[in-house]
Coordinates of all heavy atoms in Angstrom, one line a residue:
E1 N 228.7 83.1 88.8 CA 228.6 83.7 87.6 C 227.5 84.8 87.7 O 226.3 84.5 88.1 CB 228.2 82.7 86.5 CG 228.0 83.3 85.2 CD 227.7 82.3 84.1 OE1 228.2 81.1 84.2 OE2 227.0 82.6 83.2
D2 N 227.7 86.0 87.2 CA 226.7 87.0 87.2 C 225.8 86.9 85.9 O 226.3 86.5 84.9 CB 227.4 88.4 87.1 CG 228.1 88.7 88.4 OD1 227.8 88.1 89.5 OD2 229.0 89.6 88.4
V3 N 224.6 87.2 86.1 CA 223.6 87.2 85.0 C 223.0 88.6 84.9 O 222.6 89.2 85.9 CB 222.5 86.2 85.2 CG1 221.4 86.3 84.2 CG2 223.0 84.8 85.3
S4 N 223.0 89.1 83.7 CA 222.4 90.5 83.5 C 221.0 90.3 82.8 O 220.8 89.5 81.8 CB 223.2 91.3 82.5 OG 224.5 91.5 83.1
L5 N 220.0 90.9 83.4 CA 218.6 90.8 82.9 C 218.5 91.7 81.7 O 219.1 92.8 81.7 CB 217.6 91.2 84.0 CG 217.6 90.2 85.2 CD1 216.7 90.8 86.3 CD2 217.1 88.8 84.8
D6 N 217.7 91.4 80.8 CA 217.4 92.2 79.6 C 216.5 93.4 80.0 O 216.6 94.5 79.4 CB 216.8 91.4 78.5 CG 217.7 90.3 78.0 OD1 218.9 90.6 78.0 OD2 217.2 89.3 77.5
N7 N 215.5 93.1 80.8 CA 214.5 94.1 81.1 C 213.9 93.8 82.5 O 213.5 92.7 82.8 CB 213.4 94.1 80.1 CG 212.5 95.3 80.2 OD1 212.5 96.1 81.1 ND2 211.6 95.4 79.2
V8 N 213.7 94.9 83.3 CA 213.0 94.8 84.6 C 212.1 96.0 84.7 O 212.5 97.1 84.5 CB 214.0 94.9 85.8 CG1 213.3 94.9 87.1 CG2 215.0 93.7 85.8
T9 N 210.8 95.8 85.0 CA 209.9 96.9 85.2 C 209.1 96.6 86.4 O 208.8 95.4 86.8 CB 208.9 97.0 84.0 OG1 208.2 95.8 83.8 CG2 209.6 97.4 82.7
S10 N 208.8 97.6 87.2 CA 208.1 97.5 88.4 C 207.1 98.7 88.6 O 207.5 99.8 88.2 CB 209.0 97.5 89.7 OG 209.7 96.3 89.7
T11 N 206.0 98.4 89.1 CA 205.0 99.5 89.5 C 204.7 99.2 91.0 O 204.3 98.1 91.4 CB 203.7 99.4 88.7 OG1 204.1 99.4 87.3 CG2 202.8 100.4 89.1
L12 N 204.9 100.3 91.8 CA 204.8 100.2 93.2 C 203.8 101.3 93.7 O 203.9 102.4 93.2 CB 206.1 100.3 94.0 CG 207.2 99.4 93.5 CD1 208.5 99.9 94.1 CD2 206.9 98.0 93.9
S13 N 202.9 101.0 94.7 CA 202.1 102.0 95.2 C 201.8 101.7 96.7 O 201.9 100.5 97.1 CB 200.8 102.1 94.5 OG 200.0 100.9 94.6
G14 N 201.5 102.7 97.5 CA 201.3 102.5 98.9 C 202.4 102.9 99.7 O 203.3 103.6 99.3
D15 N 202.4 102.4 101.0 CA 203.5 102.6 101.9 C 203.9 101.3 102.6 O 203.3 100.3 102.2 CB 203.1 103.7 103.0 CG 201.8 103.3 103.7 OD1 201.5 102.1 103.9 OD2 201.1 104.2 104.2
S16 N 204.8 101.4 103.6 CA 205.2 100.1 104.2 C 204.1 99.3 104.9 O 204.2 98.1 105.0 CB 206.4 100.4 105.2 OG 205.9 101.2 106.2
E17 N 203.1 100.0 105.4 CA 202.0 99.3 106.1 C 201.0 98.7 105.1 O 200.3 97.7 105.5 CB 201.3 100.3 107.0 CG 202.2 100.8 108.1 CD 201.5 101.8 109.0 OE1 200.2 102.0 108.8 OE2 202.1 102.4 109.9
N18 N 200.9 99.2 103.9 CA 200.0 98.6 102.9 C 200.4 99.0 101.5 O 200.3 100.2 101.2 CB 198.6 99.1 103.2 CG 197.5 98.4 102.4 OD1 197.8 97.4 101.8 ND2 196.3 99.0 102.3
H19 N 200.9 98.0 100.8 CA 201.4 98.4 99.4 C 201.0 97.3 98.4 O 200.7 96.2 98.7 CB 202.9 98.6 99.4 CG 203.7 97.5 100.1 ND1 204.0 97.5 101.4 CD2 204.2 96.4 99.5 CE1 204.6 96.4 101.7 NE2 204.8 95.7 100.5
N20 N 201.1 97.7 97.1 CA 200.8 96.9 96.0 C 202.0 96.9 95.0 O 202.7 98.0 95.0 CB 199.6 97.3 95.2 CG 198.3 97.2 96.1 OD1 198.0 96.2 96.6 ND2 197.7 98.4 96.4
F21 N 202.2 95.9 94.3 CA 203.4 95.9 93.4 C 203.1 95.0 92.2 O 202.3 94.0 92.3 CB 204.6 95.4 94.1 CG 204.5 93.9 94.6 CD1 204.9 92.9 93.8 CD2 204.0 93.7 95.9 CE1 204.8 91.6 94.3 CE2 203.9 92.4 96.3 CZ 204.3 91.3 95.5
E22 N 203.7 95.3 91.1 CA 203.7 94.5 89.9 C 205.2 94.5 89.4 O 205.7 95.7 89.2 CB 202.8 95.0 88.8 CG 201.3 94.7 89.2 CD 200.4 95.1 88.1 OE1 200.8 95.4 87.0 OE2 199.1 95.1 88.3
T23 N 205.8 93.4 89.1 CA 207.2 93.4 88.6 C 207.3 92.3 87.5 O 206.7 91.3 87.5 CB 208.1 93.0 89.7 OG1 208.0 93.9 90.8 CG2 209.5 92.9 89.3
S24 N 208.0 92.7 86.4 CA 208.3 91.9 85.3 C 209.8 91.8 85.1 O 210.5 92.8 85.1 CB 207.6 92.4 84.0 OG 206.2 92.3 84.2
L25 N 210.3 90.6 84.9 CA 211.7 90.3 84.7 C 211.8 89.6 83.4 O 211.1 88.6 83.1 CB 212.3 89.5 85.8 CG 212.1 90.0 87.2 CD1 212.6 88.9 88.2 CD2 212.9 91.3 87.5
R26 N 212.8 89.9 82.5 CA 213.0 89.3 81.2 C 214.5 89.0 81.1 O 215.3 89.8 81.4 CB 212.6 90.2 80.1 CG 211.1 90.6 80.1 CD 210.2 89.4 79.8 NE 208.8 89.8 79.8 CZ 208.0 89.7 80.8 NH1 208.4 89.2 81.9 NH2 206.8 90.0 80.7
Y27 N 214.8 87.8 80.6 CA 216.1 87.4 80.3 C 216.0 86.5 79.0 O 215.6 85.4 79.1 CB 216.8 86.6 81.4 CG 218.1 86.0 81.1 CD1 219.2 86.9 81.0 CD2 218.3 84.7 80.9 CE1 220.5 86.4 80.7 CE2 219.6 84.2 80.6 CZ 220.6 85.0 80.5 OH 221.9 84.5 80.2
G28 N 216.3 87.1 77.9 CA 216.1 86.4 76.6 C 214.6 86.1 76.5 O 213.8 87.0 76.6
D29 N 214.3 84.8 76.2 CA 212.9 84.4 76.1 C 212.3 84.0 77.4 O 211.1 83.7 77.5 CB 212.8 83.2 75.1 CG 213.1 83.6 73.7 OD1 212.9 84.8 73.3 OD2 213.5 82.7 72.9
I30 N 213.1 84.0 78.5 CA 212.6 83.6 79.8 C 211.9 84.9 80.5 O 212.5 85.9 80.4 CB 213.7 83.1 80.7 CG1 214.3 81.8 80.0 CG2 213.2 82.8 82.1 CD1 215.6 81.3 80.6
S31 N 210.8 84.7 81.1 CA 210.1 85.8 81.8 C 209.5 85.3 83.1 O 209.1 84.2 83.3 CB 209.0 86.4 80.9 OG 208.0 85.4 80.6
L32 N 209.4 86.3 84.0 CA 208.8 86.1 85.3 C 208.0 87.3 85.6 O 208.5 88.4 85.6 CB 209.8 85.8 86.4 CG 209.3 85.7 87.8 CD1 208.4 84.5 88.0 CD2 210.4 85.6 88.8
D33 N 206.7 87.2 85.9 CA 205.8 88.3 86.3 C 205.3 88.0 87.7 O 204.8 86.9 87.9 CB 204.7 88.4 85.3 CG 205.2 88.7 83.9 OD1 205.9 89.7 83.7 OD2 204.7 88.0 83.0
L34 N 205.3 89.0 88.5 CA 204.8 88.9 89.9 C 204.0 90.1 90.2 O 204.3 91.2 89.8 CB 206.0 88.9 90.9 CG 207.0 87.8 90.8 CD1 208.2 88.0 91.7 CD2 206.4 86.4 91.1
G35 N 202.9 89.9 90.9 CA 202.0 91.0 91.4 C 201.3 90.6 92.7 O 201.0 89.5 92.9
G36 N 201.2 91.6 93.5 CA 200.5 91.3 94.8 C 200.4 92.5 95.7 O 200.6 93.6 95.3
S37 N 200.2 92.2 96.9 CA 200.1 93.2 98.0 C 200.8 92.7 99.2 O 201.0 91.5 99.4 CB 198.7 93.5 98.3 OG 198.0 92.4 98.8
G38 N 201.2 93.7 100.1 CA 201.9 93.3 101.3 C 202.0 94.4 102.3 O 201.5 95.5 102.1
R39 N 202.7 94.0 103.4 CA 202.9 95.0 104.5 C 204.2 94.6 105.2 O 204.6 93.4 105.2 CB 201.7 94.9 105.5 CG 201.5 93.6 106.2 CD 200.2 93.3 106.5 NE 199.1 93.0 105.6 CZ 199.1 92.2 104.6 NH1 200.2 91.6 104.2 NH2 198.1 92.0 103.8
Y40 N 204.9 95.6 105.7 CA 206.1 95.4 106.4 C 205.9 96.0 107.9 O 205.5 97.1 108.0 CB 207.3 96.2 105.8 CG 208.6 95.9 106.4 CD1 209.3 94.8 106.2 CD2 209.1 96.8 107.3 CE1 210.5 94.5 106.8 CE2 210.3 96.6 108.0 CZ 211.0 95.4 107.7 OH 212.2 95.2 108.3
A41 N 206.1 95.1 108.8 CA 206.0 95.5 110.2 C 206.8 94.5 111.1 O 207.0 93.4 110.7 CB 204.5 95.4 110.7
A42 N 207.3 95.0 112.2 CA 208.1 94.2 113.2 C 209.2 93.4 112.4 O 209.4 92.2 112.7 CB 207.2 93.3 113.9
D43 N 209.9 94.1 111.6 CA 211.1 93.5 110.8 C 210.7 92.3 110.0 O 211.5 91.4 109.8 CB 212.2 93.2 111.8 CG 212.9 94.4 112.4 OD1 212.9 95.5 111.7 OD2 213.3 94.3 113.5
Q44 N 209.4 92.3 109.5 CA 209.0 91.2 108.7 C 208.1 91.7 107.6 O 207.2 92.5 107.8 CB 208.2 90.2 109.5 CG 207.6 89.0 108.8 CD 206.9 88.0 109.7 OE1 207.6 87.3 110.4 NE2 205.6 88.1 109.7
W45 N 208.3 91.1 106.3 CA 207.4 91.4 105.2 C 206.4 90.2 105.1 O 206.9 89.1 105.1 CB 208.1 91.6 103.9 CG 207.2 92.0 102.8 CD1 206.8 93.3 102.5 CD2 206.6 91.1 101.9 NE1 206.0 93.3 101.4 CE2 205.8 92.0 101.0 CE3 206.6 89.8 101.7 CZ2 205.0 91.4 100.0 CZ3 205.8 89.2 100.7 CH2 205.1 90.1 99.8
S46 N 205.1 90.5 104.9 CA 204.2 89.4 104.6 C 203.2 90.0 103.6 O 202.9 91.2 103.5 CB 203.4 89.0 105.9 OG 202.7 90.1 106.5
G47 N 202.7 89.1 102.8 CA 201.8 89.5 101.7 C 201.2 88.3 100.9 O 201.4 87.2 101.3
E48 N 200.6 88.7 99.9 CA 200.0 87.8 98.9 C 200.4 88.1 97.5 O 200.5 89.2 97.1 CB 198.4 87.9 98.9 CG 197.7 87.5 100.2 CD 196.2 87.7 100.0 OE1 195.8 88.5 99.2 OE2 195.5 87.0 100.8
L49 N 200.8 87.0 96.8 CA 201.1 87.1 95.4 C 199.9 86.6 94.6 O 199.6 85.5 94.5 CB 202.3 86.3 95.1 CG 203.6 86.6 95.9 CD1 204.7 85.6 95.6 CD2 204.1 88.0 95.4
G50 N 199.2 87.6 94.0 CA 198.0 87.2 93.3 C 198.4 86.8 91.8 O 197.6 86.2 91.2
L51 N 199.6 87.3 91.4 CA 200.0 86.9 90.0 C 201.4 86.4 90.1 O 202.4 87.0 90.6 CB 200.1 88.2 89.1 CG 200.8 88.0 87.8 CD1 200.1 87.1 86.9 CD2 201.0 89.4 87.1
I52 N 201.5 85.1 89.7 CA 202.9 84.5 89.5 C 202.8 83.8 88.1 O 201.9 83.0 87.9 CB 203.2 83.5 90.5 CG1 203.1 84.1 91.9 CG2 204.6 82.9 90.3 CD1 203.2 83.1 93.0
R53 N 203.6 84.3 87.2 CA 203.7 83.7 85.8 C 205.1 83.5 85.4 O 205.8 84.5 85.4 CB 202.9 84.6 84.9 CG 202.7 84.0 83.5 CD 201.8 84.8 82.6 NE 202.1 86.2 82.7 CZ 201.2 87.1 82.9 NH1 199.9 86.8 83.0 NH2 201.5 88.4 82.9
F54 N 205.5 82.3 85.0 CA 206.8 82.0 84.6 C 206.8 81.3 83.2 O 206.0 80.4 83.0 CB 207.5 81.1 85.6 CG 208.9 80.6 85.1 CD1 209.9 81.5 85.1 CD2 209.0 79.3 84.5 CE1 211.2 81.0 84.6 CE2 210.2 78.9 84.1 CZ 211.3 79.8 84.1
S55 N 207.6 81.8 82.3 CA 207.6 81.2 81.0 C 209.1 80.9 80.7 O 210.0 81.7 80.9 CB 207.1 82.2 79.9 OG 207.3 81.6 78.6
D56 N 209.3 79.6 80.2 CA 210.7 79.2 80.0 C 211.2 79.6 78.6 O 212.3 79.3 78.2 CB 210.8 77.7 80.1 CG 210.0 76.9 79.2 OD1 209.4 77.5 78.2 OD2 209.9 75.7 79.3
G57 N 210.3 80.3 77.8 CA 210.7 80.8 76.5 C 210.5 79.8 75.4 O 210.7 80.1 74.2
M58 N 210.1 78.6 75.8 CA 209.8 77.6 74.8 C 208.3 77.7 74.5 O 207.8 78.6 74.0 CB 210.2 76.2 75.3 CG 211.7 76.1 75.6 SD 212.8 76.4 74.2 CE 212.8 74.8 73.5
Q59 N 207.5 76.7 75.0 CA 206.1 76.7 74.9 C 205.4 76.5 76.2 O 204.2 76.3 76.3 CB 205.6 75.6 73.9 CG 206.1 75.9 72.5 CD 205.6 74.8 71.5 OE1 205.1 73.8 72.0 NE2 205.7 75.0 70.3
T60 N 206.1 76.5 77.3 CA 205.6 76.2 78.6 C 205.5 77.4 79.5 O 206.4 78.2 79.5 CB 206.5 75.1 79.4 OG1 206.6 74.0 78.5 CG2 205.8 74.8 80.7
E61 N 204.3 77.6 80.1 CA 204.1 78.7 81.0 C 203.5 78.1 82.3 O 202.7 77.2 82.2 CB 203.1 79.7 80.4 CG 202.9 80.9 81.2 CD 202.1 82.0 80.5 OE1 202.7 82.7 79.7 OE2 200.9 82.0 80.8
W62 N 203.9 78.6 83.4 CA 203.4 78.2 84.7 C 202.7 79.4 85.3 O 203.2 80.5 85.3 CB 204.6 77.8 85.6 CG 205.2 76.5 85.1 CD1 206.2 76.4 84.1 CD2 204.9 75.2 85.5 NE1 206.5 75.1 83.9 CE2 205.8 74.3 84.7 CE3 204.0 74.6 86.4 CZ2 205.8 72.9 84.9 CZ3 204.0 73.3 86.5 CH2 204.9 72.4 85.8
R63 N 201.6 79.2 85.9 CA 200.8 80.2 86.6 C 200.4 79.7 88.0 O 200.1 78.5 88.2 CB 199.5 80.6 85.8 CG 199.8 81.2 84.5 CD 198.5 81.4 83.8 NE 198.7 82.0 82.5 CZ 198.4 83.3 82.2 NH1 197.8 84.0 83.1 NH2 198.6 83.8 81.0
N64 N 200.1 80.6 88.9 CA 199.6 80.2 90.2 C 198.1 79.9 90.1 O 197.4 80.5 89.4 CB 199.9 81.3 91.3 CG 199.4 82.7 90.9 OD1 199.5 83.1 89.8 ND2 198.7 83.3 91.8
L65 N 197.7 78.9 90.9 CA 196.3 78.5 90.9 C 195.5 79.5 91.9 O 194.4 79.8 91.6 CB 196.1 77.1 91.4 CG 196.7 76.0 90.5 CD1 196.6 74.7 91.2 CD2 195.9 76.0 89.2
D66 N 196.1 79.8 93.0 CA 195.5 80.7 94.0 C 196.5 81.7 94.4 O 197.7 81.6 94.1 CB 195.0 79.9 95.2 CG 193.9 78.9 94.8 OD1 192.9 79.3 94.2 OD2 194.0 77.7 95.2
K67 N 196.1 82.7 95.2 CA 197.0 83.6 95.8 C 198.0 82.9 96.7 O 197.6 82.0 97.4 CB 196.3 84.7 96.6 CG 195.4 85.6 95.8 CD 194.7 86.6 96.6 CE 193.9 87.6 95.8 NZ 193.2 88.6 96.6
A68 N 199.3 83.2 96.5 CA 200.3 82.6 97.3 C 200.6 83.5 98.5 O 200.8 84.7 98.4 CB 201.6 82.5 96.5
Q69 N 200.7 82.9 99.7 CA 201.0 83.6 100.9 C 202.5 83.6 101.1 O 203.1 82.5 100.9 CB 200.3 82.9 102.1 CG 198.8 82.8 102.0 CD 198.2 84.1 101.9 OE1 198.5 85.1 102.6 NE2 197.3 84.3 100.9
A70 N 203.1 84.7 101.4 CA 204.5 84.8 101.6 C 204.9 85.6 102.8 O 204.1 86.5 103.3 CB 205.1 85.5 100.4
R71 N 206.0 85.2 103.4 CA 206.5 85.9 104.6 C 208.1 85.8 104.6 O 208.6 84.8 104.3 CB 206.0 85.2 105.9 CG 206.5 85.9 107.1 CD 206.0 85.1 108.4 NE 206.2 83.7 108.3 CZ 207.3 83.1 108.6 NH1 208.4 83.8 108.8 NH2 207.4 81.8 108.5
F72 N 208.7 87.0 104.7 CA 210.1 87.1 104.7 C 210.6 87.9 105.9 O 210.1 89.0 106.1 CB 210.6 87.7 103.4 CG 210.3 86.9 102.2 CD1 209.1 87.3 101.5 CD2 211.0 85.9 101.8 CE1 208.8 86.6 100.3 CE2 210.7 85.1 100.7 CZ 209.5 85.5 99.9
A73 N 211.6 87.4 106.7 CA 212.2 88.1 107.8 C 213.7 87.9 107.7 O 214.2 87.2 106.8 CB 211.6 87.5 109.1
K74 N 214.4 88.5 108.6 CA 215.9 88.4 108.5 C 216.4 87.0 108.6 O 217.3 86.6 107.8 CB 216.5 89.2 109.7 CG 218.0 89.2 109.7 CD 218.5 90.0 110.9 CE 220.0 90.0 110.9 NZ 220.5 90.8 112.0
D75 N 215.8 86.2 109.4 CA 216.3 84.8 109.6 C 215.4 83.7 109.1 O 215.6 82.5 109.4 CB 216.6 84.6 111.1 CG 217.7 85.5 111.6 OD1 218.6 85.8 110.9 OD2 217.6 85.9 112.8
S76 N 214.3 84.1 108.4 CA 213.4 83.0 108.0 C 212.6 83.5 106.8 O 212.5 84.7 106.5 CB 212.4 82.7 109.1 OG 211.6 83.8 109.4
A77 N 212.0 82.5 106.1 CA 211.2 82.8 104.9 C 210.2 81.7 104.7 O 210.5 80.5 105.0 CB 212.0 83.0 103.7
A78 N 209.0 82.0 104.2 CA 208.0 81.0 103.9 C 207.2 81.5 102.7 O 206.9 82.7 102.5 CB 207.0 80.9 105.1
L79 N 206.9 80.5 101.8 CA 206.2 80.8 100.6 C 205.3 79.6 100.3 O 205.8 78.5 100.1 CB 207.1 81.1 99.4 CG 206.5 81.3 98.1 CD1 205.6 82.5 98.1 CD2 207.5 81.4 97.0
D80 N 204.0 79.8 100.3 CA 203.0 78.8 100.1 C 202.5 79.0 98.7 O 201.7 79.9 98.5 CB 201.9 78.8 101.1 CG 200.9 77.7 100.9 OD1 201.2 76.7 100.2 OD2 199.8 77.7 101.5
I81 N 202.9 78.1 97.7 CA 202.6 78.4 96.3 C 202.2 77.1 95.6 O 202.7 76.0 96.0 CB 203.8 79.0 95.6 CG1 203.5 79.4 94.2 CG2 205.0 78.1 95.7 CD1 204.6 80.1 93.5
C82 N 201.3 77.2 94.7 CA 200.9 76.1 93.9 C 200.8 76.6 92.4 O 200.0 77.5 92.2 CB 199.5 75.4 94.3 SG 199.1 74.0 93.4
L83 N 201.6 76.0 91.5 CA 201.6 76.5 90.1 C 201.0 75.4 89.2 O 201.1 74.2 89.5 CB 203.0 76.7 89.7 CG 203.8 77.8 90.4 CD1 205.2 77.9 89.9 CD2 203.1 79.2 90.3
E84 N 200.4 75.8 88.1 CA 199.9 74.8 87.1 C 200.5 75.2 85.8 O 200.7 76.4 85.5 CB 198.4 74.8 87.1 CG 197.8 75.7 86.2 CD 196.2 75.5 86.1 OE1 195.7 74.5 86.3 OE2 195.6 76.5 85.7
E85 N 200.8 74.2 85.0 CA 201.3 74.4 83.7 C 200.2 74.7 82.7 O 199.2 74.1 82.7 CB 202.0 73.2 83.2 CG 202.7 73.3 81.9 CD 203.4 72.0 81.5 OE1 203.4 71.0 82.3 OE2 203.9 72.0 80.3
S86 N 200.4 75.8 81.9 CA 199.4 76.1 80.9 C 200.2 76.3 79.6 O 201.3 76.6 79.6 CB 198.6 77.4 81.3 OG 199.5 78.5 81.4
Q87 N 199.5 76.1 78.5 CA 200.2 76.2 77.2 C 199.3 77.1 76.2 O 198.2 77.2 76.4 CB 200.4 74.9 76.5 CG 201.4 74.1 77.3 CD 201.8 72.8 76.6 OE1 201.2 72.3 75.7 NE2 202.8 72.1 77.1

């Protein structure tokens, strides 16, 4: 089943060797905000997510405790993340 998002916004700066991003996704009352920095080299993206915020549209919001380390390649992916619930 396809899902259409209500709103997507992104701010990007830098180049493949060093870049920053902020992205917001909205679907009804559900929202996801991501922000961080990264680099692409040797067919692999690696970076840090300094902002991870998820809201289920009710009264619960989840945020990252620390910067999350991420790595994505053609055949593998890794994400080290710890979220805490805030209200």
Side-chain angles (χ1 to χ4, degrees):
E1 178 180 328
D2 292 336
V3 174
S4 297
L5 296 172
D6 295 329
N7 189 354
V8 176
T9 59
S10 288
T11 303
L12 309 168
S13 63
D15 57 26
S16 63
E17 293 178 8
N18 187 16
H19 52 270
N20 298 299
F21 62 91
E22 290 184 9
T23 300
S24 294
L25 308 168
R26 302 286 181 266
Y27 176 70
D29 291 335
I30 298 170
S31 64
L32 174 63
D33 300 307
L34 302 171
S37 61
R39 64 212 65 51
Y40 185 80
D43 293 330
Q44 175 178 287
W45 183 87
S46 60
E48 292 182 335
L49 299 173
L51 168 66
I52 303 170
R53 184 174 45 231
F54 172 77
S55 175
D56 63 7
M58 303 296 275
Q59 294 181 349
T60 304
E61 183 174 281
W62 294 85
R63 295 174 179 252
N64 54 315
L65 292 174
D66 295 310
K67 291 182 179 178
Q69 303 299 313
R71 182 181 46 78
F72 300 96
K74 181 179 179 181
D75 297 325
S76 65
L79 177 61
D80 183 14
I81 184 175
C82 184
L83 300 175
E84 90 174 335
E85 182 180 357
S86 61
Q87 294 185 348

